[in-house]
Amino acid sequence: SCRRLSTKVFDTELKSRQRQKAFDLHDDGYYDYLREESATRLVDKLVDIHASRKFPIALEIGSFRGQLFNALKDNNPSGIEHLVQLDSLIDNCDLASKKCNDDNLYEVESILSSHISETMDENIINTYKLRLESEKLPFKPNTFDLIMSSMHLHWINDLPGMLNQIRTILKPDGVFIATLFGGSTLKELRYSFYLAEQERRGGVAPHTSPLVHPSDVAGLSQAAGFALPAVDVDTIMVSYPSALSLMEHLWRMGEGHAALNRQQGVGQDTFLATAALYQELYGLEDGSVPATFEIISLIGWGPDSSQPKACQRGTATHSLKEITKPKP
């Protein structure tokens, strides 16, 4: 169901530790394939928005290892000149000493003016790293032309509040674009855990974190005040040698279970039963097992008077029946 109230769903300290461990792995990004795919698709959507639009000052929420920046380096369709990267994993903060107004917010304009690039190459993106210490975005209203988030917002406790903050710091006619995991993600693993616990324990407990559905995201974006919101869904199927291999990948991605109501100390017998059921129910001919990852994409605009608006009800001059009537 849609998280409409400011309730705490996730253990943020645990999730920070999980992401930090994944970030510290020396694996050359081997387990970042979903983040890389999401970043590529997000940049492709930027191309589709409007080739002539430029968004010089951009913010990325949840930069992790920089997959989105790497995708933008190869293709910068939005003319980004300055990119502020926001993440709880960042230790070396370029902006650490720049909170200078009375509300303890960052003065982004003064930061950008003091970091002027020596080259005029339009393909160069100046980056500024900032540690995100909470779910509060420390910026003034109407700061960014473009705000992006790739595979991060599904771990936000107060998603309605976050969307409201994003809309506030977005400039009029600026663009917000994000991807996040949807509710059908890991549906095979959820069901296998459900059957295994019914068999072994006579009851069930959540073993995967709750996720929003596309209809939830659409409703929340409208409630947050975004203009012209659009939501679409991509489904990515990934094959793994076994269910246990899938669970290892999730841990190494930093995408492990982090709900506050999670069960502590799951027995080895439950994991083995889950893997066996997963193989029996979903196993492929080559012995591997598939896993579903539902990627929700959201695009919303900062409200502006120049944007097209729907006419008032009752002002139509032609009926749909006339428009759709076959020509003789």
Side-chain angles (χ1 to χ4, degrees):
S1 61
C2 182
R3 303 200 301 271
R4 298 189 183 277
L5 299 177
S6 179
T7 56
K8 193 168 184 180
V9 179
F10 303 113
D11 186 334
T12 53
E13 293 184 2
L14 172 62
K15 178 47 56 182
S16 293
R17 293 196 301 270
Q18 289 177 348
R19 295 181 76 244
Q20 188 67 58
K21 288 180 180 178
F23 184 82
D24 292 338
L25 289 174
H26 300 292
D27 54 20
D28 295 324
Y30 179 79
Y31 298 96
D32 292 339
Y33 47 89
L34 288 175
R35 288 190 176 91
E36 291 171 354
E37 179 66 21
S38 171
T40 299
R41 296 189 182 206
L42 192 151
V43 172
D44 287 343
K45 291 181 185 298
L46 283 176
V47 175
D48 295 336
I49 287 176
H50 204 300
S52 63
R53 288 296 301 272
K54 301 299 180 184
F55 304 98
I57 304 176
L59 170 69
E60 179 188 2
I61 302 172
S63 57
F64 199 68
R65 223 185 299 266
Q67 289 82 9
L68 182 54
F69 173 69
N70 290 334
L72 287 168
K73 284 195 303 183
D74 298 329
N75 182 13
N76 184 12
S78 300
I80 298 172
E81 299 173 10
H82 306 281
L83 175 63
V84 177
Q85 296 176 296
L86 203 60
D87 201 294
S88 61
L89 303 177
I90 294 174
D91 294 322
N92 299 320
C93 303
D94 299 336
L95 315 187
S97 61
K98 299 295 184 179
K99 281 188 180 180
C100 52
N101 68 10
D102 294 338
D103 296 322
N104 204 30
L105 303 179
Y106 289 93
E107 297 283 2
V108 173
E109 295 87 347
S110 63
I111 295 166
L112 302 186
S113 63
S114 63
H115 289 71
I116 299 176
S117 175
E118 297 179 357
T119 176
M120 297 302 292
D121 188 343
E122 64 179 7
N123 294 319
I124 297 297
I125 302 176
N126 300 292
T127 59
Y128 314 86
K129 299 182 185 297
L130 172 63
R131 183 177 177 84
L132 178 62
E133 299 173 352
S134 68
E135 293 186 4
K136 178 176 173 55
L137 301 178
F139 304 104
K140 297 188 302 182
N142 304 328
T143 295
F144 295 99
D145 303 292
L146 170 66
I147 299 176
M148 304 171 288
S149 181
S150 178
M151 306 303 292
H152 181 75
L153 294 183
H154 52 272
W155 292 118
I156 297 296
N157 275 303
D158 184 9
L159 185 56
M162 176 60 72
L163 292 176
N164 272 302
Q165 291 183 76
I166 291 171
R167 196 261 306 154
T168 299
I169 65 175
L170 189 64
K171 290 181 180 178
D173 208 30
V175 175
F176 167 56
I177 181 167
T179 59
L180 64 159
F181 280 138
S184 294
T185 297
L186 299 176
K187 60 183 181 181
E188 302 90 352
L189 184 61
R190 294 173 191 266
Y191 188 55
S192 298
F193 258 123
Y194 170 82
L195 294 179
E197 285 222 308
Q198 283 279 34
E199 176 189 356
R200 299 282 169 162
R201 301 285 184 264
V204 295
H207 292 285
T208 55
S209 297
L211 299 168
V212 295
H213 294 276
S215 58
D216 300 333
V217 175
L220 289 175
S221 62
Q222 289 181 323
F226 286 104
L228 310 173
V231 175
D232 62 71
V233 179
D234 292 318
T235 300
I236 300 175
M237 302 298 297
V238 182
S239 295
Y240 296 89
S242 67
L244 296 177
S245 175
L246 164 61
M247 295 180 210
E248 179 188 5
H249 276 240
L250 292 173
W251 179 81
R252 291 181 179 273
M253 292 177 195
E255 296 293 335
H257 189 21
L260 284 171
N261 64 345
R262 66 191 182 280
Q263 180 181 346
Q264 303 289 340
V266 180
Q268 184 182 30
D269 60 333
T270 300
F271 279 116
L272 294 176
T274 298
L277 286 165
Y278 201 125
Q279 187 72 45
E280 180 179 350
L281 293 172
Y282 304 106
L284 303 176
E285 291 183 358
D286 61 359
S288 65
V289 294
T292 299
F293 295 94
E294 182 182 58
I295 310 297
I296 301 175
S297 298
L298 165 64
I299 299 176
W301 294 77
D304 186 73
S305 58
S306 65
Q307 295 165 345
K309 294 179 176 59
C311 296
Q312 293 183 352
R313 293 175 62 89
T315 59
T317 57
H318 297 80
S319 70
L320 286 174
K321 184 183 293 186
E322 294 176 358
I323 296 173
T324 59
K325 184 178 180 181
K327 294 182 179 180

